[in-house]
Amino acid sequence: MVVTGASSGIGAATARLFREHGWNVVGVARRADRLRTLQAETGADVFTADLTVQADVDALRDYLAASGPVHALVNNAGGAKGLDSVEAGSIEDWAWMYEINVLAVKRVTTAILPLLRSGIDSGAGSADIVTVTSIAGHVAYLGGGGYNAAKFAAHAMTEVLRLELSGEPIRVIEIAPGMVKTDEFGLVRFDGDADKAVAAYDNVPDPLSAEDIAETIVASVERPAHVNLDLIVIKPVAQAATTRIARGPLKVRE
């Protein structure tokens, strides 16, 4: 089992939960110190790589090939930057979002698919590719510009991959979370502005946690091999739609 973006948030929670369920896990991320902490806490194997760099992805592939069969891949690495309009948005921010949310997923999937097939041939029987996208890849919203564009592309890529792999025992699963409160997503989006990052969740009753998404990912992979949960959209009850968010206690209307 390979989990990208494993140094924090959804990726770290997913790696931990798979380990609790008895899976051998390789956690992949850029920050070696965070990965060492994950390894010490869970016993997961780890590999430091920047998935926007082809040489790092090639090194990850070679490491995995030498380590034994791979049965599942969770493409979780991603992120957002800014809430600017299409007109005013930074080209550099848009390029970063496309690199990490789309091209990195393509690089890793291309590298690991042959290893998944080898695992099937060696007796696994089936394999899984899980890609974590976002409801931003399904519904456009003001301020979403570059993030919408990247996540819509990731969604489309996942749909096409499922068509391409038709006839092979490989499930292609998309997890599209809504509002998830993690330590770092908002900080990256708002360029380190902690006040803005926290304000997005002000008075929202029970936004999703990284652990909520991890539970969904693990459950989808652990379904019987003939059952494919193609697309799971998961939002907190307080979020009826992308920008329709209840603030304050949920209560029955009089």
Side-chain angles (χ1 to χ4, degrees):
M1 160 68 64
V2 179
V3 179
T4 70
S7 61
S8 65
I10 293 170
T14 300
R16 288 191 180 95
L17 190 57
F18 271 120
R19 286 294 296 143
E20 289 174 16
H21 284 225
W23 288 75
N24 294 322
V25 174
V26 179
V28 182
R30 291 180 298 107
R31 292 175 294 186
D33 57 334
R34 296 286 190 92
L35 289 178
R36 285 193 295 269
T37 299
L38 177 71
Q39 186 175 43
E41 291 175 352
T42 67
D45 198 0
V46 296
F47 190 90
T48 304
D50 181 343
L51 301 181
T52 68
V53 176
Q54 187 61 48
D56 282 14
V57 176
D58 291 343
L60 171 63
R61 176 203 60 210
D62 294 344
Y63 174 80
L64 294 170
S67 302
V70 179
H71 302 307
L73 164 65
V74 178
N75 285 310
N76 167 72
K81 284 194 175 183
L83 283 171
D84 293 329
S85 67
V86 172
E87 179 182 12
S90 159
I91 287 293
E92 290 76 16
D93 286 351
W94 279 54
W96 180 86
M97 285 187 279
Y98 198 81
E99 280 282 353
I100 192 62
N101 292 293
V102 185
L103 297 184
V105 174
K106 186 268 190 281
R107 290 179 195 275
V108 174
T109 301
T110 295
I112 294 181
L113 249 174
L115 305 182
L116 293 172
R117 291 187 174 110
S118 294
I120 294 169
D121 289 341
S122 66
S126 63
D128 295 286
I129 299 173
V130 181
T131 298
V132 179
T133 60
S134 170
I135 57 171
H138 297 264
V139 181
Y141 59 91
L142 285 171
Y147 192 54
N148 282 142
K151 287 301 190 182
F152 265 81
H155 164 64
M157 180 170 58
T158 303
E159 292 273 286
V160 173
L161 180 65
R162 189 180 298 114
L163 295 173
E164 292 171 347
L165 297 181
S166 177
E168 297 188 60
I170 302 174
R171 296 186 296 192
V172 177
I173 300 165
E174 178 183 353
I175 310 292
M179 179 176 273
V180 183
K181 187 176 183 180
T182 62
D183 292 337
E184 295 195 358
F185 181 86
L187 286 175
V188 173
R189 181 159 218 171
F190 297 111
D191 197 26
D193 189 323
D195 291 338
K196 285 185 178 180
V198 171
Y201 305 98
D202 277 352
N203 212 23
V204 176
D206 298 319
L208 297 175
S209 67
E211 288 73 22
D212 291 325
I213 308 306
E215 288 172 3
T216 303
I217 292 169
V218 172
S220 69
V221 171
E222 292 186 342
R223 297 297 301 156
H226 69 286
V227 177
N228 193 48
L229 301 179
D230 284 19
L231 169 63
I232 304 170
V233 177
I234 174 171
K235 307 191 299 289
V237 174
Q239 186 179 29
T242 311
T243 55
R244 178 69 169 174
I245 300 168
R247 296 183 186 270
L250 301 179
K251 57 185 179 181
V252 176
R253 291 191 181 92
E254 297 180 0

